[in-house]
Amino acid sequence: MPDVDVIVVGAGPAGATAALTLARAGRSVVLLERGPFPGSKNMYGGVVYPRVLDALIPRWWEEAPIQRWVTRRSTMVLTDRQALTVDYRTEAWGEAPYNGATAYRPDWDAWLAGRAEAEGARLVCSTTVTGLLRDGPRVVGVRTDRPGGELTAFVVIAADGVNSFLAKEAGLYRDIDPGSYTVGVKETLGLPKEVIDERFGVRGRHGVDIEMIGGTGGVPGGGFLYTNLDTLAVGVVLSVPALAAQDRRPEELIAALKAHPAVAPLVEGGELKEYSAHLIPEGGWDMMPELGCPGMLVTGDAAALCLAAGIWLEGVNFAMGSGLVAGQVIDRAITRGTVAGADLAARYRDALGRTFVLQDHRKLRGAPHLVLSDRVQRRYPRLAADVAERMFRVDNPAPKPGLRRILREEQRRAGVRARDLARDAYRAWRAFG
């Protein structure tokens, strides 16, 4: 018999949710975390969408360590001197069961892992998994850096983040285009709560999520600005190959974004509290590894389950969703006595395919390539901003031009051919329609 039923490697949202699911089902679980506490290595401060927890932690919003409930969502298109913003706000998102919230990952991960511990999972921190234990083709446990640190289990869950060492050792990764990765770089700026409330037009625990296309100095990617209680998270998400091919550092690109006329008034006077960077698997469906092998399943960022579709950049909800499904599949397999079967990974993928986790990625398969294309990154922001400027500009004594004329002239000025516009519109319809 193995030492425990399940070993979960990584106490992030995916691993903690899997451990919580299994522990609540009565399974013996060890949750291994290489940091001194869950979330210690995660500097993420962004938006989480926790509705996936509705059944697992009823009324989670009464205890979850959120900063602000997002009640205002803006998408901003930037050129060097212009900004065109679609701004939406609703009071409904500021009421239970809520929609999304800004949060600090160290707080969020520690809370979720604590819930797993409360259900009976054993959390072991400051422990690095150095390899897999095998019995033939089957994974039967892990090696750790602790003395006598071998641990066996029916199943190992790899929740060890982007570029997973365990998934690589198991041979689950294929060759991946470096263009499938971006790097997210963030500054946390301190501002008094009352200044943030006044500046962003919110009150109480209501907050704002601003996603930006453009504003990254010609490097494909985008920007973001989130409100916390008394800090702002501002930063850029950048294509790794494109970043490496030019000579500016990420902090210079953030500085340029903060100096943009549409952003500068929002971050003025902010005191730098923290600077961090994180690799993001943005290739979506096309870069996903095999989701498991005999004795092991892969979850969260380790499985490239991050939705990067321009108007959406979501990861924590997909991590928790995959951890939940992995825990449920393993629990059923143990109950039926089929946990040692070779088809565990297939059953996991089938179960994920019946949830938003794979359905959203399959539907939006083409979105990452479209969003990072040259036309979407450079030409269309200029086209959209210039059309808006022409529509609202008063050129008396000249009469107002018609919309068709404006579109035709600005399309020509932006260097956008009609057939490319039609082709990209079709691709966008296929992805988002």
Side-chain angles (χ1 to χ4, degrees), residues 244-431:
Q246 51 89 63
D247 58 2
R248 283 169 296 176
R249 294 181 56 81
E251 58 267 30
E252 296 177 81
L253 297 175
I254 294 181
L257 178 66
K258 292 192 299 180
H260 190 282
V263 179
L266 301 177
V267 300
E268 184 179 8
E271 178 187 358
L272 181 62
K273 298 287 189 181
E274 178 184 274
Y275 177 87
S276 59
H278 177 65
L279 193 65
I280 303 172
E282 284 208 14
W285 180 271
D286 290 338
M287 72 173 295
M288 285 183 192
E290 295 295 324
L291 296 180
C293 61
M296 189 173 87
L297 301 181
V298 187
T299 61
D301 275 4
L305 293 173
C306 177
L307 185 69
I311 58 175
W312 299 298
L313 180 57
E314 302 173 18
V316 173
N317 49 333
F318 287 91
M320 294 187 295
S322 64
L324 173 64
V325 172
Q328 292 171 338
V329 168
I330 293 169
D331 176 53
R332 286 194 295 267
I334 294 175
T335 298
R336 297 169 182 170
T338 60
V339 72
D343 64 340
L344 183 67
R347 280 179 275 154
Y348 170 53
R349 188 179 185 96
D350 287 345
L352 277 181
R354 295 190 293 272
T355 72
F356 74 97
V357 176
L358 288 190
Q359 289 177 10
D360 284 353
H361 277 87
R362 186 184 296 112
K363 174 179 173 56
L364 293 161
R365 179 176 185 172
H369 308 291
L370 176 63
V371 169
L372 291 176
S373 67
D374 179 71
R375 285 191 294 273
V376 171
Q377 289 286 316
R378 300 190 186 195
R379 298 181 188 271
Y380 293 155
R382 176 185 171 187
L383 174 61
D386 285 347
V387 167
E389 181 173 322
R390 288 281 301 278
M391 288 178 64
F392 299 127
R393 191 174 70 205
V394 177
D395 288 327
N396 297 153
K400 296 184 185 302
L403 181 57
R404 282 186 296 177
R405 176 184 165 187
I406 292 175
L407 286 172
R408 185 172 60 252
E409 292 177 352
E410 295 306 328
Q411 180 183 327
R412 186 164 50 247
R413 185 183 303 179
V416 176
R417 296 180 298 183
R419 64 174 178 267
D420 290 334
L421 185 60
R423 184 183 299 116
D424 290 338
Y426 176 72
R427 292 171 64 193
W429 178 256
R430 288 283 303 272

Side-chain angles (χ1 to χ4, degrees), residues 66-390:
I66 67 99
Q67 288 287 302
R68 290 179 184 256
W69 304 111
V70 174
T71 57
R72 181 181 169 196
R73 174 69 160 78
S74 298
T75 300
M76 184 181 291
V77 176
L78 301 176
T79 69
D80 289 343
R81 301 178 62 185
Q82 300 162 299
L84 176 63
T85 304
V86 177
D87 190 68
Y88 174 76
R89 65 190 305 160
T90 173
E91 290 296 300
W93 288 355
E95 304 168 356
Y98 302 98
N99 178 62
T102 56
Y104 295 130
R105 274 285 300 276
D107 296 340
W108 185 268
D109 291 7
W111 167 71
L112 201 52
R115 287 302 306 257
E117 274 194 293
E119 295 287 349
R122 182 184 175 192
L123 174 64
V124 182
C125 295
S126 301
T127 301
T128 300
V129 172
T130 58
L132 297 171
L133 298 176
R134 291 178 177 272
D135 182 3
R138 178 176 173 76
V139 174
V140 295
V142 298
R143 296 185 182 88
T144 73
D145 60 352
R146 287 176 174 262
E150 292 189 352
L151 191 64
T152 60
F154 288 123
V155 183
V156 172
I157 297 178
D160 51 337
V162 62
N163 217 16
S164 164
F165 291 109
L166 297 187
K168 281 185 174 179
E169 183 177 337
L172 301 180
Y173 279 9
R174 56 183 182 272
D175 291 337
I176 298 175
D177 179 3
S180 295
Y181 291 99
T182 59
V183 60
V185 188
K186 173 183 72 79
E187 290 183 0
T188 300
L189 307 177
L191 278 172
K193 180 182 183 300
E194 57 272 18
V195 172
I196 294 175
D197 288 352
E198 191 66 29
R199 195 170 285 182
F200 289 86
V202 291
R203 298 292 182 270
R205 297 296 287 271
H206 289 200
V208 181
D209 168 7
I210 303 175
E211 306 290 344
M212 307 172 197
I213 299 174
T216 53
V219 179
F224 58 85
L225 178 58
Y226 309 130
T227 59
N228 299 308
L229 272 177
D230 55 4
T231 64
L232 302 176
V234 58
V236 291
V237 178
L238 306 166
S239 165
V240 170
L243 177 64
Q246 51 89 63
D247 58 2
R248 283 169 296 176
R249 294 181 56 81
E251 58 267 30
E252 296 177 81
L253 297 175
I254 294 181
L257 178 66
K258 292 192 299 180
H260 190 282
V263 179
L266 301 177
V267 300
E268 184 179 8
E271 178 187 358
L272 181 62
K273 298 287 189 181
E274 178 184 274
Y275 177 87
S276 59
H278 177 65
L279 193 65
I280 303 172
E282 284 208 14
W285 180 271
D286 290 338
M287 72 173 295
M288 285 183 192
E290 295 295 324
L291 296 180
C293 61
M296 189 173 87
L297 301 181
V298 187
T299 61
D301 275 4
L305 293 173
C306 177
L307 185 69
I311 58 175
W312 299 298
L313 180 57
E314 302 173 18
V316 173
N317 49 333
F318 287 91
M320 294 187 295
S322 64
L324 173 64
V325 172
Q328 292 171 338
V329 168
I330 293 169
D331 176 53
R332 286 194 295 267
I334 294 175
T335 298
R336 297 169 182 170
T338 60
V339 72
D343 64 340
L344 183 67
R347 280 179 275 154
Y348 170 53
R349 188 179 185 96
D350 287 345
L352 277 181
R354 295 190 293 272
T355 72
F356 74 97
V357 176
L358 288 190
Q359 289 177 10
D360 284 353
H361 277 87
R362 186 184 296 112
K363 174 179 173 56
L364 293 161
R365 179 176 185 172
H369 308 291
L370 176 63
V371 169
L372 291 176
S373 67
D374 179 71
R375 285 191 294 273
V376 171
Q377 289 286 316
R378 300 190 186 195
R379 298 181 188 271
Y380 293 155
R382 176 185 171 187
L383 174 61
D386 285 347
V387 167
E389 181 173 322
R390 288 281 301 278

